[in-house]
Amino acid sequence: MFLIDELIALLAANLILSQALGTSTMFIAADSKKNMLATSCIITIFTTLGSVGAYFIDSLLPDQLADLRLLLYTVIIGILYVVMLTVSYYAGKGWFADFRKYIHVSAFNCAVMGTLFTISGKAAEDSSSFDLGWYISAGFEAGIGFVIAALLLAAAYRKLNSAKVPEAFRGFPAMLVYLGIISMAVYSLK
């Protein structure tokens, strides 16, 4: 029973489904299992490590300079982007060739940046109870939320692109309606 309650809480707090963050990246990820796994793992890395950077920005940045937050978050994600590309390059040419497209797609999308702003907004409401551990867990949960949302999308991907769906509605429009219905169902759990 505890596991079911935790799963419902994770889905209800899912940034991807409740705020439609990263839906374009999810459509790319749902195309194949390899794409979904690689994109989801890399987005989880970006949201988790990016949330560490967001913690330090939020704790060190004075309130008078809060307008610089977007720029600083972008710099943090940019640094992570370069580090990820460098690590994959030195891990091997085959590794780099396989994963650079996932790093490109994952780094600068609204799932990562939206996660940082959502986490920062929650922490700003009550700064006394949010520490580095909370930022890391919130970033990791957002990445796992992306994985869950991508799995839900992948489950319906082939059926929504089949010949049974009217041609004008097939593909992207059907996926948006499906994602909207799933999001409303998840939002009702709150």
Side-chain angles (χ1 to χ4, degrees):
M1 190 64 169
F2 178 74
L3 182 62
I4 293 172
D5 290 340
E6 288 298 313
L7 182 60
I8 288 173
L10 180 65
L11 282 173
N14 187 332
L15 296 174
I16 307 300
L17 294 175
S18 66
Q19 297 178 12
L21 297 174
T23 53
S24 60
T25 306
M26 274 196 318
F27 293 148
I28 294 168
D31 187 28
S32 74
K33 289 179 183 178
K34 179 184 175 190
N35 287 347
M36 184 182 65
L37 180 64
T39 305
S40 298
C41 289
I42 292 173
I43 282 183
T44 302
I45 291 169
F46 274 109
T47 57
T48 305
L49 296 178
S51 66
V52 172
Y55 169 76
F56 288 111
I57 289 169
D58 291 346
S59 60
L60 299 175
L61 191 68
D63 290 337
Q64 299 88 343
L65 299 175
D67 293 339
L68 292 177
R69 189 169 281 135
L70 172 63
L71 176 65
L72 294 174
Y73 287 173
T74 305
V75 168
I76 291 293
I77 299 300
I79 291 169
L80 288 173
Y81 172 73
V82 170
V83 167
M84 293 278 290
L85 284 175
T86 305
V87 166
S88 67
Y89 180 78
Y90 285 112
K93 301 279 189 210
W95 184 271
F96 181 71
D98 287 344
F99 284 97
R100 75 175 175 206
K101 66 180 175 182
Y102 302 117
I103 295 170
H104 296 316
V105 168
S106 301
F108 298 102
N109 69 57
C110 58
V112 174
M113 193 62 76
T115 297
L116 299 185
F117 274 106
T118 303
I119 291 169
S120 177
K122 287 181 182 179
E125 292 172 6
D126 180 22
S127 60
S128 62
S129 61
F130 297 104
D131 58 356
L132 179 60
W134 181 85
Y135 271 77
I136 292 171
S137 69
F140 183 72
E141 287 174 7
I144 296 302
F146 187 89
V147 172
I148 292 170
L151 286 171
L152 288 171
L153 192 61
Y157 184 80
R158 285 194 179 87
K159 291 186 181 201
L160 292 175
N161 286 312
S162 72
K164 295 179 180 178
V165 176
E167 187 174 344
F169 195 61
R170 193 176 307 150
F172 190 70
M175 294 299 258
L176 285 177
V177 170
Y178 174 73
L179 189 60
I181 291 169
I182 295 296
S183 296
M184 286 188 296
V186 167
Y187 191 74
S188 71
L189 294 173
K190 284 186 175 183

